[in-house]
Amino acid sequence: MGSIWEIDFYSRPILDENQKKVWEVLVCQSPGDIRTKPESLFRYAKYCPSTQVNSLWLRKALEEAIDQAGKAPMKIRFFRRQMNNMITKACQDLGIPAQPSRRILVLNQWLRQRMEEVYPQEPGYQEGTLPSVPLENPLPQRLPDALEGQQWVFVSLQAAEFADMPHWEIGFGEAFPLELANISPETPIPGVLIFSPRALPIAGWMSGLELASLNFDTKQGQRLVLETGATESWILANIKNPQTLAQAQDYEQAKQKANGVHFIGVQSDAQADSFTGFWLLKDLNFA
């Protein structure tokens, strides 16, 4: 399987000699595996003059990145919806699928690091914050009837237990090295397991959604909401039982203590030794 890249193409808090915003493309590799060493992930950065911000410049920059990496990715993720047309066009010209996604852990951390350490050192730097990405937050959608799990449960695993993840039998899924989350081996990682005899279609459907996070939402009811893509979300379950509500609150508190790390798994039943689907997730702040 080929690699997946994360990309951002946007203006930075730097002015050129004409007092115009300098743009930049950042490209980095998604880890994909819990065993991946973060320092081994491919990265590429290049500034772009404001007069050359177009899909042609971006395509040439991506070609340069591919040359440096030695191989094109099988997919490129991006999170800024306002750049959808330009990024999609550049990727299409290269024959690479582009996917709106909030599953951009490495890119998110790299952007923040550059805001703190790189851009302030550049001539023309204008002090500010990371360019915000206002989310539209459309109402969560209801799961298709055929994809609803028959049963689900809150669970927890210590971070150290994920060291064995490469040996787990997993159909669909994706993970990342926990060192990117800066948590100790003893940290409990909360998660949700979904059980269903239709585990295969459920996991297959999830695998095409760019899973971002699974949250206990209390804004409009009390429910588990699966965040996917750039703005999409799905109601996994409505919670009414007082005991389950308490578990959901504990789940969110455990996520905070684990720096937002959590997981979702899909199995045929509670006795299954394998996972039809398993995704390690992390809450990201896009403001």
Side-chain angles (χ1 to χ4, degrees):
M1 181 181 291
S3 64
I4 298 174
W5 284 3
E6 304 166 9
I7 180 176
D8 186 39
F9 185 41
Y10 207 64
S11 62
R12 303 301 184 221
I14 306 168
L15 298 181
D16 62 18
E17 60 274 13
N18 297 316
Q19 299 302 296
K20 300 292 186 182
K21 276 285 184 71
V22 173
W23 282 56
E24 181 185 45
V25 61
L26 293 179
V27 177
C28 58
Q29 182 183 347
S30 289
D33 192 304
I34 201 156
R35 297 169 293 185
T36 303
K37 297 298 182 183
E39 61 271 16
S40 72
L41 296 172
F42 173 73
R43 298 190 184 209
Y44 170 90
K46 187 174 185 177
Y47 287 128
C48 173
S50 60
T51 55
Q52 298 184 41
V53 175
N54 54 52
S55 62
L56 178 60
W57 186 95
L58 179 58
R59 189 197 76 193
K60 291 180 178 178
L62 288 173
E63 288 175 337
E64 188 174 296
I66 291 170
D67 287 342
Q68 290 187 15
K71 186 178 180 181
M74 66 175 186
K75 178 172 67 175
I76 289 180
R77 292 169 167 154
F78 67 95
F79 69 101
R80 295 190 197 271
R81 295 173 313 287
Q82 60 267 54
M83 300 304 297
N84 180 82
N85 292 342
M86 196 177 298
I87 291 176
T88 301
K89 176 66 166 61
C91 291
Q92 283 179 344
D93 290 346
L94 293 170
I96 303 171
Q99 186 78 46
S101 177
R102 284 171 282 178
R103 193 177 179 86
I104 51 153
L105 172 60
V106 177
L107 179 61
N108 183 271
Q109 291 186 349
W110 193 19
L111 263 173
R112 294 182 181 280
Q113 179 264 329
R114 291 180 71 80
M115 280 295 300
E116 295 173 3
E117 302 175 11
V118 177
Y119 305 144
Q121 308 304 318
E122 298 284 3
Y125 170 69
Q126 303 291 302
E127 186 173 358
T129 58
L130 186 70
S132 63
V133 184
L135 297 179
E136 298 169 0
N137 291 324
L139 291 176
Q141 306 171 64
R142 186 176 178 271
L143 280 179
D145 291 339
L147 296 175
E148 290 187 357
Q150 286 193 334
Q151 181 185 359
W152 58 270
V153 63
F154 289 108
V155 292
S156 179
L157 290 172
Q158 275 197 342
E161 296 182 73
F162 283 88
D164 293 329
M165 189 175 175
H167 306 293
W168 300 351
E169 186 179 340
I170 299 174
F172 300 94
E174 190 173 352
F176 54 84
L178 287 176
E179 57 194 285
L180 285 172
N182 192 29
I183 54 178
S184 69
E186 298 78 24
T187 304
I189 306 297
V192 169
L193 293 180
I194 299 172
F195 305 119
S196 172
R198 294 182 54 80
L200 184 59
I202 291 175
W205 175 77
M206 286 182 171
S207 72
L209 289 181
E210 289 294 317
L211 270 60
S213 62
L214 180 62
N215 305 317
F216 174 49
D217 178 36
T218 58
K219 295 176 183 176
Q220 298 187 19
Q222 294 172 313
R223 55 200 184 183
L224 278 179
V225 174
L226 182 64
E227 302 286 347
T228 68
T231 59
E232 296 82 16
S233 58
W234 307 82
I235 301 172
L236 225 58
N238 288 294
I239 302 177
K240 298 180 181 179
N241 180 281
Q243 182 178 355
T244 310
L245 282 174
Q247 292 174 349
Q249 292 167 348
D250 291 343
Y251 165 80
E252 280 296 326
Q253 291 175 3
K255 271 208 299 179
Q256 294 177 16
K257 293 177 181 177
N259 286 345
V261 178
H262 55 295
F263 63 88
I264 182 169
V266 181
Q267 295 181 295
S268 56
D269 57 64
Q271 284 71 46
D273 294 327
S274 61
F275 294 97
T276 313
F278 192 97
W279 290 266
L280 194 57
L281 310 170
K282 187 179 187 307
D283 293 340
L284 297 181
N285 182 7
F286 290 91

